[in-house]
Structure formats: structure tokens, C-alpha cells
Amino acid sequence: MMVRSTLKYLAPAAFAACLTLGAGVASAQEPIKIGAFLAVTGPAAFLGDPEQKTLEMYVDKINAAGGVLGRKLQLISYDSGGDAEKARTFAKRLIEQDKVDAIIGGSTTGETMAVVPLVEQAGIPFISLAGAVVVIEPVKKWVFKTPHTDRMACEKIFVDMQERKISKIALISGPGGFDKSMRAECLKVAPKYKIEILADETYGAGDTDMTAQLTKIKNTPGVQAVLNAGFGSGPAIVTKNYRQVGVPFPFYQSHGVASKEYIKLSGGAADGVRLPAAALLVADKLPDSDPQKKVVVDYKNAYAERWKSDVSTFGGHAYDGLWLLVDAMKKAGTTDKAKVRDALENTKGFMGTAGVVNMSPTDHMGLDLTAFRMLVIKNGDWELGN
Amino acid sequence: MSAELTQFLLTGITIGAIYALVALGFSIIYNASQVINFAQGEFVMIGGMTTVSLVDGGMPLPLAIALAVVVAAAVGLLLEKLAIERARGASVVTLIIITIGASIFLRGLAQLVWDKNFHALRPFTGSTPIAVFGATILPQSLWVLGVTVLIVAALGWFFGRTLLGKGMLATSHNRLAAELVGVRVKGMLLLAFGLSAALGAIAGILTAPITITSYDVGVMLGLKGFAAAILGGLGSGVGAVAGGLALGILESLGAGFVSSAYKDVIAFVIILAVLFFRPSGLFARRSAERV
């Protein structure tokens, strides 16, 4: 035990010494090592796969254009399979064996939180690609994140409801981690927007019919709109049942369904549904005056050209993470971990696929509600809703 | 208020018919071998997924359905030939465990053959809800109900009136005695797996437009179908249907009148209570008399 803990403290010290000694000799040629651990396979592969592809693509592009600070980038990426335990092991390897300069990764909140203690102890800039608020709240010195949170999605929806003079709503949510977290966040911020939640219904894993819940909502006096916080096949079934039962109120979905798959699964029933989503989804439909348009259109086209598949907002999180890091390294003029961290924390006006990023010592995500766009589904396609 | 109740009942019947179809598959294999086939949900999945991918590939729906049933039946036969028959001398419990392994294997295979995404099948005859006393039901639910009734009738005839069906029942009752009077016992089990796989596939295809199908759709449907079969009495066709409908209606009324968070709890507590007083299910005795 003694020996082990001594080693633990010695290793970073020795590492730091090597760096200082070697710096003068070889730094101009040595690549900047960027570590990544992503859920490329497994149940969260739909997150990790586009993230991995995005990182690969842009590391190649940056190197072709001469690299950063005159040095090439080297991507060292591991597949965590969405498993928190594996993520921890790989993060440890990235820090201790590969001696990377910064880490991007953690497709899911579970992986991210398992790694947080390691990066905090090692003192290495870490940009998470996970959604939940807990990643940055409370603020952790070395941890940043790029995706918007589910709380922001709730707030965006509630702002839209206020504009449309809706104040009494019903909530229906599913059994998944995303569904539960979103439901809790919505309940928490509802009073701030003077939204009253009159009914709070749920459905189970693998449920095939939600007409009972929706009938109950339809017959709850006072309800003016319905919000479905869900992910996967559940929201599509809710949408179909919503039209079947003939619920007359406006229907809101969350950013959890922001994919063409949802529209396809619910058939024509999705028409008229309102939801918050990243600008990436409607890249081509943004007005030319939109400052975000160039970033999202460029990324979308580059991704489609290289991988012959449609872009997803998840890949966009990796795009933002990589460019935030490159930006910070350029500003710091070095890859020194503490200086890069400070530069990250002082990021202002950075335009990413998720929106404008303005970090501060109290906000390690830096996005505001403009990051989300309110969309309406019309004729099986997205339209800007405001 | 009465429209509300009608809607809950219609919803319950819709869900219940799906459970009933899955439960019937459990009953057939149980009848032939006393084995509870936990890969039954995977047959449901194979039926739905095969149809979806064939239709997406441009095949007309009726042909795709026929082919999907054949594919699922072939998988059922292979499962019996390669896994169950090899373990001939093993106890029933061992066979049940083999079916659990088979279900995990089939699910893994489906991820490779297809993908991990959700897929929807177009409803057979439109998606305009039909109004009944102020409540609504989808045309697809009527398809499910109608086919369930047909299948129950056909199975009743098969097990009650045909030599093959009686042979199957005899095999389940006493394997040795059945063999002595000339029943081809080995063939019976093979037939049972093929038949129940085909039945599972039909369930999967009929319900795919309602439930949305994916590689793991069989897990929950299999579990609920199993619960329905137990409630109705394992091995009884009428019991499977009654159990399925009862479970569906309990869930729906629970969600509608009490709380959607507790709907599964309410349904399962009632099942437990029923089984406490009638351990072999609602309709088990009648089925025993029939044999």
C-alpha cells in the first residue's frame, strides 16, 4: 500500500521532469498527443461512433494544414464500449502510459463521472462529451463539456410555451436514464418559468401502447400542452397514440428524438410536433445571416463527404471538443496543461456546432439557450419554429 | 367518464392481444415437451425484423410476411435440431436453460444481421383510428385480435381433432407411453418448435406496426407473454388468450385509474394473488382433463 501510493505521486513528478528536460530538444518535432476514450461499440455506439469518426477526420485535416503550434496532432483513441469501468482503465492508460496532453471523451455520463477523479488528480485538461448537468455542476477544475444539458432543453421548451401563452402542461416520460434525468430537470425548472405541471405520467421499458396515459392526460382539466421527455422507440409510440386518442393540445418532444428516425417511426403522426434541437439538424435551413450557419454547414458537408453518412449532433460534440482544445492551445502558445486549462476556461465567443461558447470559472460548458433552436415537424421534415 | 373507461378497455385489449399471441407460442412447446422456451420472444423479433427488412428491400407485404414466417420456422427447427435434440437425455430444467442461451445468441445474431436501430412496419390497412363509443382503436389492433381468434380456433382443432395434435399432447403427458403406442416422439418436439416459432413470427409481424420492432423487442414481449401464459395456465390455448387479455386490461386500467408508474406492479400483484389461489393458472385444470 505504502509503495503503491508513493509511486502514484512519483509518477507524475517523473513525468513532469522528463517533459522539462526534453522540452528544449525535441518539442518542435514531437506530436501533440490527444487522448480519447469513446463508446465506439456497445449500446451507446450511436454516440461514440460519429464522435470517433469526427475526431479522426479533423485530426487528419489539421495535420494536413500544418498542425498546431508547428506540431502535428496524434490521436490516441480507445473504445470503452460505454462501460464506465473500462473508461476508467483507458483513461488511466492515457494519462500514465501514453502521456497525452489532453483528453476528449466519455460519450456517456457514466463513463465521464468514472474518469473525473483521475483527471482531477493528474491535472490534465478533459473535455467530456456527455449530456448531464452533473459533469459541470459543481464546477471541477480540469473538467469541461461541450453538449448542451437536458435542463437547457427544458428551459428552451418552457420559454417557447411562455411565448405561446401556455402555463399548464402535462408531462409524460419513459424509463430510461435520459428520460428520468430530463423529467427531473423539467420539474425543477418549471416554477422559474411559471409552468404548472398538472399531470406527470410515465411508461415502462418495452411498453407497446400509451393510450391509457394519454387518455388520462386528455381528460385532465386545464392542460394546455403536453411534453414527452423520452428517448428511443417510446416517443414514437407516444406520438402515434397521441393522434389516435386525438389529444387536442400542442405536443412537445425533447431533443432526445432529434433524428430522422423518429419522424420515420411515427409515420405522419409527428407532423406539428415542436422540439428543441441543435442547429446542426437544420444546417441548410438556417438564414445566411445566422453566425452559426458556416460552422454547421461546413461540418455537415465534410462529414458526409468523408464518411458517406448523415451527420449527427453527437459527432458535433466531438467537433466542438477538439476545436476548443486546439483553440486553447493556440491561445496559450503551449501544451502546458495548466496554461491550456486556463485558456479553455477563458474561451469567449467560440462558435461551435452546439452554439456560441463563453466559458468562465463558474461555467465549464459556456452555452446559453440560443444553442437550441425550436423546430416544428412539417411534412416529415424539420422547420425552424420561430 | 364512460368514454374514458371504453378507451382503457380498448387499450387493454390491444395490448392483451399482443401478449396472448406470444403466450400461445409458449403453450405449444410446453404441451409437447414441458419445456418453457425462453427464446419465444426472439421468434417474435425475427418475424418482425425479417418482414421489415424485406419490405424495405422492395418486396410486397404479403410475400414478405410469408417468407418471414418461413425464416422464423426454420430458425425454430434449427434450434431444436442443433441444441435441444443434442441434449436429449437432459432434464427439463437443463433444456430451459438452453433456450435462455439460445435467446441471447439469437439477439446477438440479430444485431449483426440487421442493426441496433428501431424499425416501423406500415400498418396493413391504414392508420385512421376507428371510433367506438367515444374511444378509438387502430385498424391494426383489429388485425391482431382477429388473427389471434383464428389461431386459437386452429390450435383447438389441431390439438383436439387431429392425430398429429393428439400425438403431441400424448408426448407431453407421457413420453414413454406415447412412444410405445407408436407416436414418433422425436418428430413431435421438432414440429412443436417449428410451429411455435412460426406462431411467434406471426405475432411479431402483426404487432410490428404497433410496437415498433428492434433486435431486443423480444425481451419484454417474451416476459409479458410468459406472464400471460402462466396466468392463463401453461399449455392451454384458451388460457393463453384469457391470460394475455387479462394482463393487458389490468395494465391499462392500472395506468388509467391509479398511476402509470405502478401499472406493472398492479398487474403483477394481481397475477401473484391469482396464482396463490390457483397455482396452475386460471384454465389449467380444464386442459388437464382434456388430456
Side-chain angles (χ1 to χ4, degrees):
Chain A
M1 204 54 210
M2 254 321 267
V3 179
R4 233 172 126 190
S5 58
T6 322
L7 265 181
K8 219 185 237 169
Y9 292 109
L10 269 179
F15 172 29
C18 289
L19 260 192
T20 344
L21 288 174
V25 194
S27 80
Q29 281 73 39
E30 257 182 37
I32 299 173
K33 288 181 179 175
I34 296 186
F37 61 98
L38 302 164
V40 182
T41 60
F46 67 100
L47 303 170
D49 180 61
E51 288 164 358
Q52 167 77 18
K53 285 177 172 165
T54 302
L55 288 184
E56 263 177 47
M57 174 167 88
Y58 279 97
V59 164
D60 287 353
K61 273 184 194 278
I62 291 169
N63 284 340
V68 178
L69 305 174
R71 293 162 65 184
K72 298 268 186 212
L73 293 184
Q74 185 191 353
L75 178 68
I76 304 171
S77 179
Y78 296 113
D79 175 12
S80 66
D83 181 342
E85 200 53 49
K86 271 196 203 163
R88 204 182 144 82
T89 312
F90 285 135
K92 211 167 182 155
R93 192 189 293 178
L94 285 170
I95 296 169
E96 290 173 6
Q97 283 179 21
D98 302 323
K99 306 200 188 315
V100 296
D101 295 297
I103 299 179
I104 297 174
S107 306
T108 65
T109 304
E111 291 164 84
T112 298
M113 296 314 284
V115 166
V116 164
L118 285 178
V119 296
E120 284 291 296
Q121 198 191 9
I124 185 162
F126 172 47
I127 300 181
S128 165
L129 310 179
V133 178
V134 289
V135 175
I136 46 152
E137 221 169 76
V139 174
K140 298 159 194 76
K141 191 177 174 199
W142 298 91
V143 182
F144 300 82
K145 85 183 205 82
T146 55
H148 27 241
T149 63
D150 29 18
R151 181 181 302 167
M152 290 168 63
C154 293
E155 290 181 320
K156 186 78 185 179
I157 292 170
F158 290 159
V159 167
D160 189 69
M161 285 176 173
Q162 274 185 329
E163 280 167 8
R164 304 176 80 211
K165 311 258 177 297
I166 292 166
S167 61
K168 294 185 169 68
I169 66 160
L171 193 62
I172 176 163
S173 58
F178 174 91
D179 313 43
K180 282 189 174 155
S181 162
M182 171 114 184
R183 173 183 166 270
E185 292 298 332
C186 283
L187 288 174
K188 209 185 287 170
V189 295
K192 196 171 132 197
Y193 293 88
K194 300 194 171 53
I195 299 278
E196 205 182 325
I197 293 174
L198 298 180
D200 180 12
E201 296 294 327
T202 59
Y203 48 87
D207 273 9
T208 54
D209 191 300
M210 289 73 158
T211 45
Q213 289 92 322
L214 290 168
T215 305
K216 203 173 166 189
I217 286 174
K218 185 183 170 190
N219 294 326
T220 305
V223 170
Q224 293 168 308
V226 181
L227 167 58
N228 180 198
F231 192 77
S233 65
I237 299 179
V238 171
T239 308
K240 282 185 181 179
N241 291 163
Y242 199 85
R243 305 298 176 209
Q244 183 199 336
V245 176
V247 187
F249 319 119
F251 188 30
Y252 287 80
Q253 284 282 358
S254 71
H255 56 311
V257 303
S259 74
K260 273 282 162 71
E261 206 187 339
Y262 161 72
I263 298 182
K264 210 177 128 202
L265 288 179
S266 21
D271 268 20
V273 167
R274 298 176 77 84
L275 70 155
L280 196 55
L281 214 58
V282 282
D284 298 327
K285 294 198 171 110
L286 293 175
D288 288 333
S289 58
D290 194 306
Q292 217 182 330
K293 176 152 186 167
K294 191 178 155 16
V295 173
V296 288
V297 169
D298 285 354
Y299 170 57
K300 190 183 169 175
N301 293 341
Y303 191 92
E305 191 188 318
R306 168 85 183 260
W307 302 106
K308 311 281 175 246
S309 63
D310 279 341
V311 77
S312 81
T313 48
F314 313 119
H317 301 328
Y319 172 97
D320 296 353
L322 182 65
W323 283 104
L324 272 172
L325 202 57
V326 168
D327 189 57
M329 282 174 177
K330 279 183 183 160
K331 275 202 190 117
T334 164
T335 56
D336 178 79
K337 296 186 180 65
K339 284 184 183 147
V340 170
R341 190 212 82 92
D342 292 345
L344 265 178
E345 194 168 74
N346 288 315
T347 302
K348 291 278 181 282
F350 171 89
M351 183 56 81
T353 64
V356 189
V357 179
N358 291 305
M359 302 257 192
S360 73
T362 53
D363 183 1
H364 277 191
M365 173 179 65
L367 295 168
D368 60 19
L369 287 191
T370 56
F372 273 122
R373 308 299 165 106
M374 216 53 209
L375 304 185
V376 185
I377 298 172
K378 266 188 198 147
N379 302 321
D381 201 1
W382 317 107
E383 297 264 332
L384 284 165
N386 39 355
Chain B
M1 194 60 196
S2 129
E4 204 175 355
L5 180 63
T6 320
Q7 183 64 58
F8 293 151
L9 287 176
L10 286 182
T11 300
I13 291 169
T14 302
I15 310 174
I18 297 171
Y19 295 164
L21 265 179
V22 182
L24 278 172
F26 277 104
S27 286
I28 293 177
I29 291 185
Y30 182 81
N31 265 345
S33 64
Q34 311 259 296
V35 168
I36 294 156
N37 171 30
F38 278 104
Q40 190 62 35
E42 271 52 55
F43 294 149
V44 175
M45 174 271 291
I46 290 171
M49 290 296 283
T50 311
T51 313
V52 167
S53 58
L54 290 178
V55 168
D56 282 354
M59 196 179 276
L61 188 64
L63 192 63
I65 291 176
L67 212 60
V69 173
V70 172
V71 167
V75 172
L77 294 177
L78 280 176
L79 172 63
E80 202 279 339
K81 266 275 172 228
L82 299 180
I84 303 292
E85 207 180 297
R86 306 260 147 175
R88 220 168 343 207
S91 67
V92 168
V93 175
T94 312
L95 294 178
I96 292 176
I97 291 170
I98 289 176
T99 68
I100 296 176
S103 89
I104 297 170
F105 169 76
L106 287 175
R107 227 175 300 142
L109 201 63
Q111 288 181 49
L112 290 177
V113 176
W114 294 292
D115 53 23
K116 281 174 244 165
N117 295 336
F118 297 102
H119 299 273
L121 190 62
R122 207 164 12 89
F124 298 174
T125 47
S127 55
T128 318
I130 300 165
V132 187
F133 300 119
T136 52
I137 189 163
L138 289 175
Q140 189 66 27
S141 305
L142 298 181
W143 273 100
V144 177
L145 282 172
V147 174
T148 308
V149 170
L150 279 182
I151 286 177
V152 171
L155 285 179
W157 172 78
F158 177 71
F159 282 117
R161 299 270 177 273
T162 67
L163 203 58
L164 201 58
K166 285 182 175 170
M168 212 182 248
L169 280 183
T171 310
S172 91
H173 201 63
N174 190 327
R175 208 184 157 90
L176 187 65
E179 207 161 5
L180 284 174
V181 296
V183 177
R184 283 187 54 234
V185 170
K186 236 160 90 183
M188 287 303 151
L189 199 54
L190 192 62
L191 184 69
F193 267 86
L195 195 61
S196 80
L199 199 57
I202 293 173
I205 296 162
L206 282 171
T207 58
I210 304 175
T211 62
I212 294 177
T213 193
S214 67
Y215 79 97
D216 61 353
V217 76
V219 180
M220 276 317 277
L221 282 182
L223 192 67
K224 292 282 174 72
F226 175 61
I230 293 277
L231 179 63
L234 265 173
S236 154
V238 179
V241 174
L245 289 179
L247 185 59
I249 291 172
L250 280 175
E251 273 186 14
S252 156
L253 290 181
F257 286 126
V258 189
S259 154
S260 49
Y262 295 115
K263 71 181 173 50
D264 287 343
V265 178
I266 296 163
F268 283 110
V269 163
I270 293 175
I271 291 181
L272 280 177
V274 169
L275 292 179
F276 188 74
F277 294 107
R278 289 184 75 100
S280 47
L282 291 171
F283 289 83
R285 193 134 47 114
R286 200 194 287 173
S287 124
E289 277 167 5
R290 197 177 63 194
V291 175

